Amino acid sequence: MRARTARLTVWLLALVPVLFVLMGFGLSDLASPAATLNTLGRLTGVAGLALLLLAAALSARVPGFDQSFGGLTRLWHTHHLLGAWSLILLLLHPVLLALSAAAHGTDTAFRTLFPPLSDIATWSGWLALILMMIFLAPSFHFFGRPDYERWKLVHRLSGPAVILALVHTFYFSRTMPGWTDVAVWTLFAGLAVGAVAWRFVFSRRIGRLTYRVSDVEHPANNIVELTLEPGKRTLQYQAGNFVYLAPFDRELADGYAEEHPYTLSSSPREPGLRIAIKDLGDASRAIQDIRVGSKVTVEGPYGRFFKSPDRIETPELWVAGGIGITPFLARMRHLKALEEPADAYLVFCVQDEARAIFLEELTELADALPDFHLHMHYFYQEGPVSLQYLESACPDFSEREIYICGPTPLNHLIQRHARAAGVPLARIHTEEFELL
Amino acid sequence: MKKLTYTLFVAFWASVLTIAGLHAMDKKDAEKANGDELPAYTWDEIEQHDSLDSCWKVIEGKVYDFTDYIPDHPTPPSVMEQWCGKESTEAMRTKGYGRDHSPAAWAMIDDYLVGTVAEE
């Protein structure tokens, strides 16, 4: 419920500038079709900019801030939706104004869109919109799926786009009555600029902790588990959290100093961190060969997967797919370290035995934890997980808190089964890999 | 969401290109009323229309009667009233803070054109 309140607050905040604009409106703003189009054109501009600035404000990734949104992936989802609606409204904005001007002829409509070059206000708006189309095209797969690093690089154009959009608005001024114009936009701009300043200046200085690779294990040929020893400062986190990790090993074939999100597989009780990484892209493939002794930086923690990471308050069912086992492995290691009882069922779905990573340790942990049950599900033998399978593996599963972490199709499938068995949405918790 | 944004993205460029295309084909529009056949007024006559009851303004040598438009203008009537009966080109070009009126506003004033300023 708290996560919903946080999301709702953001959307209501976006309405504030719109309300101020509406306060300055009169009946004449709807007197004719042209006036109505003009009114809508101005409103879409104001609402679109408000959403853009809030999306920027949410991009800061301040550790802890994501908690009230139900974790960083949920926060990214809100950021993504804000960006989408901002683009939609800002695409409508100039077209509506031009159509409104068309009441005085196509020439006027044309000059509204393409005024003389000296018209800084209009051209800064144009430039901001073009930059938005460029940096949002990969996010919405306009031209296919982007790779992560290119997407991230292109997304940096959001900075100049936001600044140009602000120039556009401050130049036109008087979008709202009197002093409210400067006050409201300054507040929103402050949030956005503060977020970007955190991301690119402060987070690098104080947000990133230095660690050193002290051990490298290979639980499978395409998976590495790193053990990291802390430098001066130690990360405080909970089981199931994830971090952004950047490796600084010059010998790496790819991904030097690039940060990527990975789940921590260690118990917070351990002195160091453990991170299991599957080779899924260029950087995660290269990191398989990282050298012991090399430096990494860690920023976080993020995410809020488990409701009570330190104990099992109500019986739970966990469903993991492939490398999605990592948050559950972390929790099992943690419950064992705390000597807590663990009334939980783990259904671990993999393609075949060769891909049953960490199986030996999982079996040992399952035996050591009181009330814990481990079920392996092999896709090549049993096909997709069925509702009957879940019911036979875990007879009272519809009474349990359900946690799912794995590829999107598995995630959706288990959610469908849980809903069909009458599990309310509030008891289904998922951790998604895909941020786009 | 992806489909919706992509559709809008395509619709945006379709609309912009349509407006540009119509503009390219419709050059006749460029010939604006130049006020040749309209009556010429002296400054003495113009200066009498200096209130909200009858508000004339001079913009770039042409005389406009904005009496009926003032209630529709986005600002409170007092903003326009201070220019009634006066030379108002600067007000039109700068709105008082350095920002020109939109092309739509410039096109709209043609509807209120009543004459030219007589040469003295």
Side-chain angles (χ1 to χ4, degrees):
Chain A
M1 197 58 201
R2 255 181 78 218
R4 234 166 98 188
T5 314
R7 286 198 290 273
L8 195 65
T9 309
V10 171
W11 289 100
L12 287 178
L13 205 55
L15 282 181
V16 170
V18 178
L19 288 177
F20 275 115
V21 174
L22 286 174
M23 273 162 50
F25 276 174
L27 276 180
S28 63
D29 291 298
L30 299 169
S32 64
T36 309
L37 286 172
N38 183 277
T39 303
L40 289 174
R42 281 148 64 194
L43 280 177
T44 48
V46 168
L49 179 64
L51 293 172
L52 176 69
L53 293 174
L54 287 173
L58 289 193
S59 72
R61 216 178 75 199
V62 182
F65 182 72
D66 63 318
Q67 294 295 313
S68 52
F69 285 82
L72 191 62
T73 41
R74 297 276 149 75
L75 181 62
W76 281 158
H77 188 68
T78 304
H79 166 83
H80 187 77
L81 273 183
L82 288 167
W85 279 107
S86 167
L87 179 64
I88 288 170
L89 292 174
L90 293 178
L91 286 171
L92 287 170
H93 164 65
V95 173
L96 287 168
L97 289 177
L99 289 178
S100 144
H104 306 284
T106 51
D107 181 59
T108 314
F110 180 80
R111 280 185 296 125
T112 301
L113 283 180
F114 305 104
L117 282 177
S118 58
D119 188 329
I120 297 167
T122 304
W123 288 112
S124 59
W126 254 116
L127 211 54
L129 187 56
I130 301 251
L131 285 179
M132 274 186 85
M133 291 181 209
I134 295 172
F135 84 75
L136 287 178
S139 304
F140 301 117
H141 303 183
F142 280 7
F143 310 107
R145 273 188 95 78
D147 82 41
Y148 180 73
E149 275 309 307
R150 189 158 12 116
W151 165 79
K152 219 166 120 181
L153 205 65
V154 171
H155 218 67
R156 294 216 171 140
L157 288 175
S158 54
V162 164
I163 289 165
L164 285 163
L166 285 170
V167 169
H168 173 75
T169 305
F170 278 113
Y171 237 99
F172 271 112
S173 186
R174 292 193 191 175
T175 47
M176 287 169 237
W179 59 270
T180 51
D181 188 79
V182 175
V184 170
W185 287 130
T186 304
L187 176 76
F188 274 66
L191 286 175
V193 171
V196 174
W198 165 265
R199 179 82 262 116
F200 290 105
V201 185
F202 299 111
S203 84
R204 293 185 182 206
R205 302 250 169 91
I206 55 174
R208 292 184 182 182
L209 309 181
T210 305
Y211 275 75
R212 216 156 272 286
V213 179
S214 63
D215 192 20
V216 177
E217 301 259 348
H218 286 276
N221 62 2
N222 59 349
I223 291 175
V224 66
E225 187 171 42
L226 310 178
T227 305
L228 309 174
E229 293 301 328
K232 282 188 194 134
R233 290 185 295 154
T234 315
L235 183 79
Q236 301 298 316
Y237 67 101
Q238 294 187 310
N241 282 156
F242 67 94
V243 294
Y244 275 78
L245 175 89
F248 292 85
D249 178 355
R250 289 273 176 207
E251 302 283 304
L252 286 180
D254 207 336
Y256 177 82
E258 276 178 16
E259 47 167 24
H260 290 264
Y262 300 112
T263 302
L264 295 165
S265 55
S266 48
S267 156
R269 279 293 180 94
E270 295 172 30
L273 302 177
R274 282 195 273 178
I275 300 179
I277 301 168
K278 184 175 179 186
D279 140 13
L280 288 169
D282 296 337
S284 55
R285 184 164 310 128
I287 210 169
Q288 306 289 322
D289 300 322
I290 195 168
R291 288 177 304 171
V292 171
S294 56
K295 183 189 133 181
V296 297
T297 61
V298 167
E299 189 178 350
Y302 301 106
R304 197 182 79 176
F305 188 28
F306 298 112
K307 273 169 76 180
S308 55
D310 297 336
R311 74 190 68 85
I312 292 188
E313 286 174 348
T314 47
E316 298 180 3
L317 166 67
W318 308 345
V319 182
I323 190 68
I325 191 68
T326 48
F328 301 117
L329 178 61
R331 189 123 180 264
M332 286 172 86
R333 286 169 170 172
H334 191 46
L335 292 172
K336 166 113 186 299
L338 296 175
E339 294 179 2
E340 278 282 326
D343 184 357
Y345 281 76
L346 167 60
V347 174
F348 185 18
C349 310
V350 289
Q351 190 73 24
D352 51 47
E353 285 87 346
R355 291 179 174 85
I357 46 171
F358 297 106
L359 184 57
E360 203 176 315
E361 187 180 354
L362 289 171
T363 312
E364 281 171 23
L365 285 166
D367 289 342
L369 290 167
D371 302 328
F372 196 94
H373 304 266
L374 170 66
H375 289 275
M376 292 303 298
H377 180 279
Y378 297 107
F379 186 87
Y380 86 105
Q381 281 179 351
E382 298 166 276
V385 178
S386 64
L387 181 56
Q388 290 72 24
Y389 176 87
L390 282 182
E391 281 166 346
S392 67
C394 176
D396 62 343
F397 95 92
S398 60
E399 310 294 320
R400 293 176 173 255
E401 291 282 333
I402 299 181
Y403 291 91
I404 313 165
C405 183
T408 310
L410 176 75
N411 191 329
H412 289 172
L413 180 68
I414 303 299
Q415 285 194 56
R416 269 206 305 281
H417 290 335
R419 296 293 287 154
V423 180
L425 270 180
R427 276 206 271 124
I428 305 174
H429 315 276
T430 65
E431 187 73 300
E432 332 230 336
F433 293 165
E434 292 174 30
L435 298 180
L436 289 183
Chain B
M1 212 64 224
K2 291 184 175 83
K3 271 187 197 154
L4 182 62
T5 43
Y6 187 68
T7 309
L8 258 293
F9 171 71
V10 173
F12 172 83
W13 287 111
S15 309
V16 168
L17 290 175
T18 306
I19 290 168
L22 286 173
H23 168 73
M25 288 183 287
D26 189 13
K27 281 292 176 201
K28 284 173 288 180
D29 236 19
E31 294 165 23
K32 288 246 177 279
N34 54 21
D36 280 349
E37 298 97 46
L38 289 167
Y41 296 102
T42 65
W43 276 105
D44 283 344
E45 287 172 293
I46 294 164
E47 279 163 6
Q48 283 169 20
H49 302 273
D50 63 349
S51 69
L52 292 179
D53 295 328
S54 180
C55 177
W56 286 14
K57 296 185 186 187
V58 175
I59 296 165
E60 298 190 337
K62 292 179 198 165
V63 182
Y64 298 87
D65 179 357
F66 286 128
T67 314
D68 293 338
Y69 174 68
I70 288 174
D72 294 340
H73 191 260
T75 61
S78 58
V79 175
M80 277 191 93
E81 187 185 8
Q82 55 182 314
W83 297 97
C84 294
K86 296 189 182 127
E87 162 57 50
S88 308
T89 307
E90 200 197 323
M92 189 67 187
R93 281 287 175 209
T94 69
K95 293 187 189 176
Y97 58 93
R99 168 82 196 143
D100 197 352
H101 276 80
S102 65
W106 280 98
M108 198 190 281
I109 64 173
D110 286 343
D111 298 345
Y112 302 93
L113 183 64
V114 290
T116 56
V117 181
E119 289 178 27
E120 299 190 7

